[in-house]
Amino acid sequence: MVLYVIGLGLGDETDITVRGLNAIKSCDKVFLENYTSILGIDHKLLSEYYGREVILADRECVESGAEVIYAQAKEKNIAFLVVGDPFCATTHTDLILRAQEIGARVEVIHNASVMGAAGACGLQLYHYGQTVSIPFFTEGWRPDSFYDKIAFNRKGGLHTLCLLDIKVKEPDFEAMARGRTVYLPPRFMTVNEALEQLLEIEDRRKENVYSRETMCVGMARLGQPTQCIVAGTMEELLTVDFGGPLHCLAIAGEVHCLEEEMLVHFSVANWKARQELK
Amino acid sequence: MVLYVIGLGLGDETDITVRGLNAIKSCDKVFLENYTSILGIDHKLLSEYYGREVILADRECVESGAEVIYAQAKEKNIAFLVVGDPFCATTHTDLILRAQEIGARVEVIHNASVMGAAGACGLQLYHYGQTVSIPFFTEGWRPDSFYDKIAFNRKGGLHTLCLLDIKVKEPDFEAMARGRTVYLPPRFMTVNEALEQLLEIEDRRKENVYSRETMCVGMARLGQPTQCIVAGTMEELLTVDFGGPLHCLAIAGEVHCLEEEMLVHFSVANWKARQELK
């Protein structure tokens, strides 16, 4: 039988492809990977829309106990749903290879991902270098490997897409020390938090990779009706409220003239003017 | 009214999203951009599927005469369909900005693109640098700017996605000199042609950016049922027949261990074994 690995796109239940929806309707069980991205709607709405129970698969389930998912694909059709495109945030390579090893057929159904939708900000996808991830800093852990990657991209005149950290189902160690299994509420890094961390690293490393004057584009809820895109310097974007998750950020490299026109379109001034019209 | 700019994804008529299909059904006119990519099916099937005439929009129409498309969005809902994602190959920025200028609302409906689907080859999207385009060489025009971009990516250990040239509705200058407007049949660059051009440039420039031994992954018809992915050295892939269009090519940088396992899975030897099973 078939393990369908299906991208859900970025917005709501209607962002699935017709092919994906038909596949789900042929499935006995439907799992939703819910730790690398989120849709703009509650997963319970998906259950209603599909007429199928949607089982949440957290990181532990997918990374350690994945046979719960793939082993069933030997006898039944199983759907494994991923927000965005199945190969974007995590490749789920392991799940796919293991399923094939036990003789299940695997069919991947692609969809929009943030890496493609980020093209909406006007910086052309052709001019991006390596994508980086920015993790939440903690008191003792403030990694800066993204800084070197941004430096490399900017040396080549390239833009950098920064994907921002998501913390879902993180254990609450304090409660666990008292013997209870408790999870912290989910956290999603904002554009503002990302900019603060980026500037902290520049202030520490001082290699002039970027500055408060560097042109960036903050993006929130890409592909959703409330999508928000604002372009400005890091300094300017620090003051913009992008609203609910998910956020991502592009750091501009060399800006070409067609791109320039789009950055003006999305400028802080134009954004403020649109806010006042509402 | 609304100008819907809708991605169709990569395969057939069912790769549109439910949201995209609903939008088309609200439209008075439906245009299909058909010069930067193609679906795996004839566009006439799209007309049947949508119950709407699909008007082909060639490069000339979109780049010079786009008001045919957007001006109508002032009074009616218009759909402008793009294979893959609307922002992937061309951003259609101009069309969108012009439509907004005359007061039309623009809604972009994202979908899978080759830039995301290329993740299926096992090389992680996070480890790619800048995407390059490889144009068909002609007798007097053999540009090599992609060589410098590949060099830059490889210096950073990064993979390079190469998008391969498409020639649709190219004028037949010989016939035109005789006073007739004639177009050449469409041409789509194969993985093999791309490799030959790449090796020609390496032989000319001799900067050791890559060689016949460099690991690559050839991909054809990504996201379609006949999708073909084969990994091997440039030398090895020169002998592989990838079949019909569209093709693209990834040139590997540093290969991480999870990626290695996928490259073995897609190796020429495994591909040959699968061919014999058929």
Side-chain angles (χ1 to χ4, degrees):
Chain A
M1 304 304 285
V2 187
L3 172 65
Y4 290 102
V5 182
I6 305 172
L8 296 187
L10 300 166
D12 63 25
E13 70 279 13
T14 66
D15 284 304
I16 194 167
T17 65
V18 174
R19 180 198 297 269
L21 190 57
N22 291 342
I24 288 177
K25 296 205 164 151
S26 80
C27 284
D28 293 290
K29 275 212 169 157
V30 180
F31 295 90
L32 170 66
E33 189 265 67
N34 82 324
Y35 60 91
T36 49
S37 191
I38 53 158
L39 279 181
I41 53 157
D42 194 274
H43 81 275
K44 290 185 194 104
L45 285 173
L46 294 180
S47 296
E48 280 170 34
Y49 190 68
Y50 306 146
R52 296 266 181 301
E53 188 199 357
V54 172
I55 305 158
L56 290 183
D58 58 25
R59 187 184 294 271
E60 201 187 309
C61 167
V62 177
E63 289 180 0
S64 329
E67 66 269 25
V68 180
I69 299 164
Y70 69 77
Q72 306 189 45
K74 211 172 168 178
E75 273 111 41
K76 303 170 182 174
N77 285 354
I78 303 291
F80 181 68
L81 312 181
V82 181
V83 175
D85 185 80
F87 288 114
C88 217
T90 320
T91 59
H92 300 297
T93 309
D94 219 56
L95 184 71
I96 291 172
L97 288 172
R98 295 301 93 77
Q100 286 171 335
E101 272 167 17
I102 64 159
R105 200 157 69 75
V106 176
E107 193 176 320
V108 174
I109 300 178
H110 292 286
N111 208 320
S113 75
V114 63
M115 281 169 162
C121 82
L123 299 173
Q124 293 208 31
L125 293 182
Y126 276 102
H127 301 146
Y128 278 85
Q130 186 176 16
T131 298
V132 306
S133 294
I134 304 197
F136 274 118
F137 284 177
T138 64
E139 207 153 319
W141 190 71
R142 305 174 100 72
D144 60 6
S145 61
F146 54 80
Y147 186 77
D148 301 295
K149 292 175 183 167
I150 297 167
F152 183 81
N153 286 342
R154 285 179 64 82
K155 220 166 56 186
L158 301 171
H159 314 310
T160 306
L161 177 64
C162 305
L163 302 182
L164 310 186
D165 204 1
I166 291 179
K167 293 279 185 212
V168 178
K169 214 178 169 187
E170 289 292 298
D172 179 343
F173 291 110
E174 278 185 34
M176 283 173 120
R178 294 193 299 273
R180 292 186 305 142
T181 302
V182 176
Y183 297 99
L184 296 167
R187 285 199 302 157
F188 306 97
M189 189 183 285
T190 63
V191 166
N192 321 77
E193 288 169 312
L195 288 168
E196 275 162 21
Q197 292 196 180
L198 281 161
L199 289 168
E200 176 187 319
I201 299 298
E202 178 59 57
D203 287 344
R204 188 203 306 164
R205 300 268 304 258
K206 294 191 175 60
E207 295 169 32
N208 292 314
V209 168
Y210 47 80
S211 73
R212 281 168 174 74
E213 305 313 313
T214 299
M215 182 57 65
C216 291
V217 190
M219 293 169 263
R221 300 173 304 286
L222 276 176
Q224 298 178 18
T226 62
Q227 168 178 299
C228 172
I229 301 179
V230 188
T233 64
M234 288 196 176
E235 182 88 50
E236 286 176 315
L237 294 188
L238 276 171
T239 66
V240 172
D241 179 0
F242 287 87
L246 293 180
H247 292 189
C248 68
L249 174 72
I251 302 173
E254 283 164 25
V255 175
H256 301 246
C257 71
L258 254 171
E259 296 176 327
E260 183 67 42
E261 196 176 354
M262 285 297 272
L263 294 188
V264 171
H265 177 75
F266 289 124
S267 66
V268 176
N270 280 341
W271 170 74
K272 280 190 182 150
R274 279 195 295 271
Q275 292 295 100
E276 278 159 21
L277 278 179
K278 276 180 192 170
Chain B
M1 305 302 287
V2 187
L3 172 66
Y4 290 103
V5 182
I6 305 172
L8 295 187
L10 300 166
D12 64 24
E13 70 279 14
T14 65
D15 284 305
I16 194 167
T17 64
V18 174
R19 180 197 298 268
L21 191 57
N22 291 342
I24 288 176
K25 296 205 164 151
S26 80
C27 284
D28 293 291
K29 275 212 169 157
V30 180
F31 294 91
L32 170 65
E33 190 264 67
N34 80 325
Y35 60 92
T36 49
S37 190
I38 53 158
L39 279 181
I41 53 157
D42 193 276
H43 80 275
K44 291 186 193 104
L45 286 172
L46 294 181
S47 295
E48 280 171 35
Y49 190 68
Y50 305 146
R52 295 265 181 302
E53 188 198 358
V54 173
I55 304 157
L56 289 184
D58 57 25
R59 186 185 295 271
E60 202 186 308
C61 167
V62 177
E63 289 181 358
S64 328
E67 66 269 26
V68 180
I69 299 164
Y70 69 77
Q72 306 190 45
K74 210 170 168 179
E75 273 112 43
K76 303 171 183 173
N77 284 355
I78 302 290
F80 181 68
L81 311 182
V82 181
V83 175
D85 185 80
F87 288 113
C88 216
T90 319
T91 59
H92 300 297
T93 309
D94 220 55
L95 184 71
I96 292 172
L97 287 173
R98 296 300 93 79
Q100 286 171 335
E101 273 167 17
I102 63 158
R105 199 157 69 77
V106 176
E107 192 176 321
V108 173
I109 300 178
H110 292 286
N111 208 321
S113 75
V114 63
M115 281 168 162
C121 82
L123 299 173
Q124 292 208 31
L125 293 181
Y126 277 101
H127 301 146
Y128 278 85
Q130 186 175 15
T131 298
V132 306
S133 293
I134 303 197
F136 274 119
F137 284 178
T138 64
E139 208 153 318
W141 191 70
R142 306 174 99 72
D144 60 6
S145 61
F146 55 80
Y147 186 78
D148 300 295
K149 291 175 184 168
I150 297 166
F152 183 81
N153 286 343
R154 285 179 64 82
K155 220 166 56 186
L158 300 172
H159 314 311
T160 306
L161 178 64
C162 305
L163 302 182
L164 310 186
D165 205 1
I166 290 178
K167 292 279 185 212
V168 178
K169 214 177 169 186
E170 289 292 299
D172 179 343
F173 290 111
E174 279 183 34
M176 284 172 119
R178 294 193 299 273
R180 292 187 305 142
T181 304
V182 175
Y183 297 99
L184 296 167
R187 285 198 301 156
F188 306 96
M189 189 183 285
T190 63
V191 166
N192 320 78
E193 288 170 312
L195 289 168
E196 275 163 21
Q197 292 196 181
L198 281 161
L199 289 167
E200 176 187 318
I201 299 297
E202 177 59 57
D203 287 344
R204 188 204 306 164
R205 299 267 305 257
K206 291 192 177 60
E207 295 168 32
N208 291 315
V209 168
Y210 47 81
S211 73
R212 282 169 173 73
E213 305 312 314
T214 299
M215 182 58 63
C216 291
V217 191
M219 292 169 264
R221 301 173 302 287
L222 275 178
Q224 299 178 17
T226 62
Q227 168 178 299
C228 172
I229 300 178
V230 188
T233 63
M234 287 196 176
E235 182 88 51
E236 286 177 315
L237 294 188
L238 276 171
T239 67
V240 172
D241 179 0
F242 287 87
L246 291 181
H247 293 189
C248 68
L249 173 72
I251 302 174
E254 283 163 26
V255 175
H256 301 246
C257 71
L258 254 171
E259 296 176 326
E260 183 66 43
E261 195 175 356
M262 285 296 273
L263 294 188
V264 171
H265 177 76
F266 288 124
S267 67
V268 176
N270 279 340
W271 170 72
K272 281 190 181 151
R274 279 194 295 270
Q275 293 294 101
E276 279 159 21
L277 278 179
K278 276 181 190 167

